[in-house]
């Protein structure tokens, strides 16, 4: 076991110890939690920082307002939850945990660490969700939440804009909840505590928004922003309305752009740099910022040009948005100058290619030049953008396939760059592109389809389009994936998916072609065919549709013994569907005495898939018994003889499985009875 897994196991164990368990509480109360928190408090500060994950896990557990437990018996489990009684020890535990988290927060050096600690601190204001909070508990959580806000107001120190944005979002919801409590006639005893929390949150809000740069920041970036009108809005549906927020942002952004001039341009360029430096993997973070840059470039192209002249790589990452605005501004000279500068420098070509991909005014010659320059300076991302543009755009909006698509895909294949498959969000019009491909052009896509570690949704969408015209290429693709050497394949390589999500509709149209593919793979790798090629055929023809069963039945009549072995390797992936019955009967008629074939037929007939319950397998065998009895009326004597023998075997197995299930159940009941007796003693 590696160090990371050991540490994870230790963390899970300590967190489990720190949780309030009903059975433990009845014996020692919060004794375990007191010992753990006291032990952490006794550690030197540097040790607490070093073991911060463990410390946070314990603090999170002891700040819970609820305890839980489970009662097990032989046939069921009952989950229990209860409210922790408030006493001096619980209050002290919570105070110590909050104090420990405050110290960890002040010692944190990165926002990621601070966010984790803040998430745990917010649990101090959580009243629980499985049991109703008493007034005492509500007052305690309101008090603890107020302490956290007051810490953020002072001792926490300066916070990044990203954290301020998140905190305002979090405490806006807590403010609304506290406001509801302050107005509730049923919570008269909690009104004072809720009012104190509201006052503290208002101070935190005002402190954040005194910084006018932060006020602009949250308008232009992020999806957690809270705006002034939302604090005043009493209608919660309107306050939460996304379209209203979008309109507010657009109006404020327009005001900002209107106010940008020579006197404050440097300040705005600095803010744009600051926003561009925000690190986020969430695609919802930057759309408002990109729209702002487009609008700025459209309204004030000279300002945008100066921005690009001074821009860092971070800002240049939004070049596509700026170019879109310049293109719409009517200042063609500025736009052309910026485009030429990108082409000459050979930098930021991916942004230029993306701009062309998204542009409503296509430029065929510029697209061709962008691809050529991208390949010259080996800008792989830019080449991939050009490739996806070729797939998405109308034929008249891009260079010919020979001049654009083919060079792009050949370049990426030579570089062994196949990640572009996940970036290709194919729109409906992409189907016309694939339909127009020659077979040799479609074949150029196959290296990526073979080398990607997994046939996920994105890859499957491409394969679906190819299969509409060239299904043989798709079967060849899977043949190559199945034949991939472990040494040559990427990490975590999955040759075939668990199931298809649309590709089966295309592949199942031609069962003869599928069987030809299957026989070829069977000849190459017969030993594991059932689990590889056979399973692939079963997901391409789910539930063994009639057209597939008919072709297999013909092969069972006319084929060699190897053909029959191939059929059985496929059949073993089904679960005795009705369409498989005739195929298996014909095999038995041809090879009534061959034990290996009879065994494979039995495996195919008895395959059950998932069963449920302690008698699930016995019940599944009873269903198989009814199917076998239907074979006794078949006109072929070989089939009837097989059915008689199989029925006898099934009856014995059912009796054996029923007895074993009953024994397991009786033993389990006995074990739980003994456990209960020991508890009573």
């Amino acid at each position: 076991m590696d160090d990371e897994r050991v540490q994870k196991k230790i963390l899970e164990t300590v967190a489990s110890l720190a949780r309030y368990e009903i059975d433990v509480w009845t014996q020692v109360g919060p004794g375990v939690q007191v010992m753990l928190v006291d032990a952490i408090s006794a550690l030197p500060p540097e040790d607490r920082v070093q073991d911060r994950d463990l410390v946070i896990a314990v603090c999170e557990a002891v700040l819970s307002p609820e305890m839980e437990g489970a009662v097990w018996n032989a046939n069921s489990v009952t989950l229990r939850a209860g409210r922790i009684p408030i006493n001096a020890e619980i209050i002290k535990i919570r105070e110590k945990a909050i104090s420990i988290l405050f110290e960890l927060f002040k010692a944190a050096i990165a926002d990621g660490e601070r966010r984790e600690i803040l998430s745990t601190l917010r649990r101090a204001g959580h009243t629980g969700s499985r049991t109703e909070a008493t007034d005492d508990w509500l007052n305690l959580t309101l008090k603890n939440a107020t302490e956290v806000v007051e810490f953020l107001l002072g001792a926490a120190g300066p916070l990044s804009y990203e954290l301020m944005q998140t905190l305002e979002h979090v405490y806006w919801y807590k403010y609304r909840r506290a406001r509801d409590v302050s107005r509730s006639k049923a919570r008269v005893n909690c009104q004072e505590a809720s009012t104190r929390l509201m006052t503290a949150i208002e101070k935190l809000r005002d402190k954040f928004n005194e910084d006018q740069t932060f006020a602009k920041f949250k308008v232009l970036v992020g999806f957690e922003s809270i705006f002034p009108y939302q604090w005043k809005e009493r209608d919660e549906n309107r306050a939460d309305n996304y379209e209203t927020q979008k309109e507010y942002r657009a109006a404020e952004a327009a005001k900002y752009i209107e106010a940008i001039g020579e006197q404050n341009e440097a300040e705005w360029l600095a803010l744009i740099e600051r926003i561009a430096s925000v690190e986020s993997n969430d695609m919802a973070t930057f759309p408002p910022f990109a729209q702002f840059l487009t609008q700025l470039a459209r309204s004030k192209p000279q300002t945008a040009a100066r921005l690009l002249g001074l821009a860092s790589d971070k800002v240049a990452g939004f070049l596509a948005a700026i170019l879109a605005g310049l293109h719409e501004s009517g200042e063609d000279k500025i736009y052309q100058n910026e485009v030429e500068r990108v082409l000459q420098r050979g930098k930021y070509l991916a942004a230029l290619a993306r701009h062309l991909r998204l542009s409503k005014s296509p430029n065929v010659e510029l697209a061709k030049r962008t691809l050529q320059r991208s390949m010259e300076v080996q800008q792989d991302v830019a080449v991939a953008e050009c490739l996806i543009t070729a797939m998405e755009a109308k034929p008249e909006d891009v260079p010919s396939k020979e001049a654009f698509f083919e060079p792009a895909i050949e370049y990426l294949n030579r570089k062994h760059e196949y990640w572009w498959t996940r970036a290709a969000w194919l729109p409906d019009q992409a189907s016309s592109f694939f339909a127009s491909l020659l077979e040799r052009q479609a074949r150029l896509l196959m290296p990526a389809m073979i080398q990607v570690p997994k046939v996920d949704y994105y890859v499957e969408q491409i394969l679906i389009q190819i299969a509409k015209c060239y299904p043989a290429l798709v079967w060849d693709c899977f043949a190559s994936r199945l034949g991939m050497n472990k040494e040559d394949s990427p990490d975590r390589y999955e040759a075939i998916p668990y199931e298809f999500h649309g590709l089966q509709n295309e592949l199942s149209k031609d069962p003869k072609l599928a069987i030809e593919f299957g026989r070829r793979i069977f000849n190459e790798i017969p030993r594991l065919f059932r689990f590889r090629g056979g399973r692939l055929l079963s997901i391409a023809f789910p539930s063994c549709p009639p057209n597939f069963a008919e072709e297999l039945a013909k092969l069972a009549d006319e084929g060699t013994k190897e053909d029959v072995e191939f059929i059985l390797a496929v059949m073993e992936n089904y679960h005795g569907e009705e369409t498989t019955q005739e195929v298996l009967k014909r095999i038995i008629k041809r090879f009534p005495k061959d034990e290996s074939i009879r065994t494979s037929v039995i495996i195919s007939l008895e395959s059950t898939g998932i069963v449920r319950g302690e008698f699930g397998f016995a019940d599944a065998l009873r269903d198989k018994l009814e199917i076998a009895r239907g074979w006794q009326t078949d006109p072929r004597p070989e089939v009837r003889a097989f059915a008689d023998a199989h029925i006898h075997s099934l009856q014995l197995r059912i009796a054996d499985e029923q007895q074993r299930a009953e024994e397991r159940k009786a033993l389990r009941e006995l074990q739980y009875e003994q456990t209960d007796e020991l508890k009573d003693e």
Side-chain angles (χ1 to χ4, degrees):
M1 187 178 290
D2 56 41
D3 290 345
E4 185 177 344
R5 291 176 63 190
V6 170
Q7 291 174 0
K8 183 179 178 182
K9 190 67 178 177
I10 292 171
L11 190 64
E12 291 173 350
T13 302
V14 174
S16 177
L17 279 173
R19 282 196 289 269
Y20 294 103
E21 296 282 349
I22 293 176
D23 290 339
V24 177
W25 181 276
T26 58
Q27 298 180 57
V28 297
V32 175
Q33 289 74 25
V34 169
M35 291 177 63
L36 285 170
V37 173
D38 285 348
I40 291 172
S41 298
L43 291 173
E46 58 272 17
D47 287 354
R48 288 200 293 268
V49 171
Q50 184 177 351
D51 297 325
R52 59 184 302 279
D53 290 342
L54 187 146
V55 172
I56 290 172
V58 171
C59 290
E60 181 177 4
V62 301
L63 286 173
S64 172
E66 296 171 325
M67 64 179 84
E68 57 189 27
V71 177
W72 294 80
N73 60 40
N75 299 307
S76 65
V77 57
T78 303
L79 302 179
R80 299 185 296 168
R83 176 71 50 178
I84 296 171
I86 291 183
N87 55 37
E89 284 183 308
I90 289 295
I91 294 173
K92 190 173 182 180
I93 288 171
R94 292 174 67 88
E95 288 175 349
K96 285 186 176 181
I98 292 170
S99 177
I100 289 167
L101 291 170
F102 285 168
E103 293 304 315
L104 278 182
F105 186 89
K106 289 189 284 187
I109 57 176
D111 268 7
E113 296 174 359
R114 296 186 186 97
R115 285 182 184 276
E116 184 180 10
I117 296 165
L118 285 171
S119 176
T120 307
L121 279 169
R122 288 202 295 271
R123 289 187 63 83
H126 181 53
T127 57
S129 57
R130 291 175 292 182
T131 58
E132 185 177 357
T134 62
D135 284 355
D136 287 343
W137 257 111
L138 186 53
N139 275 321
L140 179 58
T141 54
L142 288 168
K143 175 179 176 291
N144 291 155
T146 304
E147 291 168 353
V148 175
V149 176
E150 289 172 346
F151 168 75
L152 294 170
L153 276 165
L159 303 172
S160 68
Y161 284 168
E162 291 89 336
L163 271 182
M164 289 163 63
Q165 188 177 40
T166 298
L167 286 169
E168 186 176 16
H169 182 265
V170 167
Y171 282 107
W172 177 60
Y173 282 102
K174 288 190 177 294
Y175 182 87
R176 288 161 60 176
R177 175 175 169 273
R179 185 176 61 196
D180 291 342
V181 172
S182 71
R183 296 171 179 171
S184 173
K185 294 180 180 179
R187 296 291 190 179
V188 174
N189 296 329
C190 304
Q191 289 178 355
E192 183 180 348
S194 61
T195 302
R196 281 200 299 269
L197 176 58
M198 290 170 63
T199 301
I201 292 174
E202 288 170 354
K203 290 179 181 178
L204 186 67
R205 173 200 65 193
D206 294 343
K207 178 184 177 182
F208 287 170
N209 288 280
E210 284 173 359
D211 185 340
Q212 292 302 307
T213 304
F214 169 69
K216 296 182 179 73
F217 176 92
K218 68 180 183 179
V219 167
L220 298 178
V221 71
F223 52 89
E224 294 182 311
S225 300
I226 299 298
F227 304 116
Y229 78 88
Q230 291 176 277
W231 288 95
K232 301 173 184 177
E233 181 60 62
R234 296 299 178 91
D235 184 340
E236 293 189 358
N237 290 329
R238 177 172 167 75
D240 288 329
N241 186 270
Y242 172 74
E243 290 301 323
T244 304
Q245 295 175 38
K246 189 176 177 181
E247 290 171 5
Y248 177 86
R249 276 183 141 147
E252 290 297 301
K255 293 177 186 176
Y256 297 157
I257 292 169
E258 181 66 27
I260 294 175
E262 292 183 6
Q263 293 181 340
N264 62 2
E265 186 174 289
E267 295 176 12
W268 271 101
L269 296 184
L271 177 57
I272 289 170
E273 285 283 357
R274 172 67 181 84
I275 294 173
S277 68
V278 171
E279 295 183 2
S280 174
N281 293 324
D282 197 310
M283 295 181 67
T285 301
F286 292 111
F289 182 53
Q291 292 163 10
F292 168 77
L293 292 176
T294 299
Q295 190 177 350
L296 172 63
R298 185 191 305 119
S299 302
K300 298 189 174 180
Q302 291 84 2
T303 301
R306 286 191 290 274
L307 168 64
L308 288 175
L310 301 171
S312 67
D313 288 347
K314 294 285 188 181
V315 173
F318 296 90
L319 177 63
I322 299 172
L323 288 176
L326 290 176
H327 187 257
E328 296 168 6
S329 70
E331 294 285 349
D332 289 342
K333 186 175 180 180
I334 295 177
Y335 172 73
Q336 293 296 338
N337 286 343
E338 294 303 330
V339 168
E340 289 300 325
R341 186 167 65 161
V342 172
L343 288 170
Q344 289 172 12
R345 293 175 63 189
K347 199 174 181 183
Y348 312 134
L349 287 164
L352 174 58
R354 185 162 186 81
H355 159 61
L356 295 173
R357 176 184 169 190
L358 301 176
S359 177
K360 297 178 182 178
S361 302
N363 187 325
V364 174
E365 184 58 31
L366 180 56
K368 187 175 180 179
R369 289 180 62 200
T370 301
L371 173 61
Q372 290 172 342
R373 184 61 172 149
S374 300
M375 292 190 294
E376 286 174 9
V377 297
Q378 300 189 48
Q379 290 279 324
D380 299 347
V381 176
V383 176
E385 286 283 354
C386 292
L387 173 65
I388 297 169
T389 301
M391 295 179 181
E392 295 178 345
K394 296 177 181 178
E396 62 270 21
D397 292 343
V398 290
S400 67
K401 292 183 180 64
E402 291 76 13
F404 199 58
F405 164 72
E406 290 185 26
I409 188 64
E410 287 171 349
Y411 169 91
L412 293 170
N413 287 343
R414 286 195 303 273
K415 296 291 293 290
H416 303 289
E417 295 287 353
Y418 308 117
W419 54 265
W420 61 264
T421 56
R422 291 193 60 81
W425 290 59
L426 300 180
D428 293 338
Q429 59 265 31
S431 58
S432 61
F433 164 80
F434 287 97
S436 67
L437 288 177
L438 302 174
E439 184 174 355
R440 66 172 181 80
Q441 293 171 329
R443 195 178 295 277
L444 292 173
L445 294 166
M446 289 301 106
M449 303 298 102
I450 294 168
Q451 291 293 332
V452 289
K454 184 178 181 181
V455 180
D456 57 16
Y457 173 82
Y458 307 99
V459 174
E460 188 175 345
Q461 296 311 300
I462 297 172
L463 290 173
I464 287 171
Q465 297 298 334
I466 296 171
K468 289 179 179 179
C469 298
Y470 306 109
L473 287 182
V474 177
W475 286 116
D476 287 342
C477 165
F478 282 110
S480 298
R481 291 183 68 85
L482 288 168
M484 180 79 72
N485 292 325
K486 193 171 184 180
E487 296 77 17
D488 299 332
S489 62
D491 291 339
R492 299 183 179 180
Y493 189 79
E494 295 180 15
I496 54 177
Y498 177 74
E499 63 182 350
F500 289 132
H501 298 88
L503 184 56
Q504 75 278 9
N505 297 329
E506 299 301 328
L507 295 181
S508 61
K509 290 177 180 178
D510 191 343
K512 288 184 179 180
L513 179 64
I515 290 171
E516 288 175 10
F517 154 80
R519 283 296 287 117
R520 173 157 57 92
I521 298 300
F522 184 77
N523 289 339
E524 295 171 1
I525 325 172
R527 183 166 168 266
L528 296 175
F529 180 80
R530 174 192 173 186
F531 306 101
R532 294 165 63 79
R535 194 169 74 79
L536 174 61
L537 287 169
S538 72
I539 63 174
F541 294 87
S543 301
C544 195
N547 65 337
F548 187 50
E550 288 170 8
E551 291 299 326
L552 290 175
K554 290 178 185 177
L555 187 61
D557 281 338
E558 303 165 0
T560 64
K561 184 178 179 181
E562 283 190 350
D563 290 327
V564 170
E565 290 171 345
F566 154 74
I567 294 170
L568 288 170
V570 176
M571 290 290 101
E572 288 176 14
N573 287 280
Y574 292 111
H575 303 308
E577 287 85 347
E578 185 176 352
T579 51
T580 65
Q581 302 297 309
E582 181 59 28
V583 179
L584 297 173
K585 288 176 181 178
R586 293 191 188 189
I587 290 173
I588 286 296
K589 182 180 183 302
R590 284 195 63 193
F591 299 94
K593 302 297 184 183
D594 191 307
E595 283 303 319
S596 65
I597 286 180
R598 288 171 65 91
T599 299
S600 292
V601 171
I602 290 171
I603 292 172
S604 301
L605 286 170
E606 294 185 0
S607 179
T608 61
I610 297 173
V611 297
R612 295 177 178 83
E614 52 203 348
F615 297 103
F617 192 56
D619 291 338
L621 289 176
R622 290 188 181 94
D623 293 338
K624 300 298 181 182
L625 179 62
E626 292 305 311
I627 293 173
R629 283 174 175 156
W631 284 37
Q632 288 181 307
T633 59
D634 192 272
R636 290 160 287 199
E638 298 88 353
V639 174
R640 293 197 301 272
F642 173 85
D644 291 340
H646 185 46
I647 287 170
H648 178 68
S649 173
L650 278 174
Q651 288 171 334
L652 293 176
R653 290 187 62 199
I654 290 169
D656 182 57
E657 180 58 34
Q658 182 74 21
Q659 181 179 349
R660 280 192 293 175
E662 290 173 353
E663 289 173 352
R664 288 194 298 266
K665 181 181 179 184
L667 178 60
R668 187 173 66 251
E669 290 174 346
L670 180 61
Q671 289 172 335
Y672 275 98
E673 286 176 7
Q674 291 175 343
T675 302
D676 291 341
E677 289 174 2
L678 289 172
K679 285 183 178 179
D680 293 339
E681 292 177 3

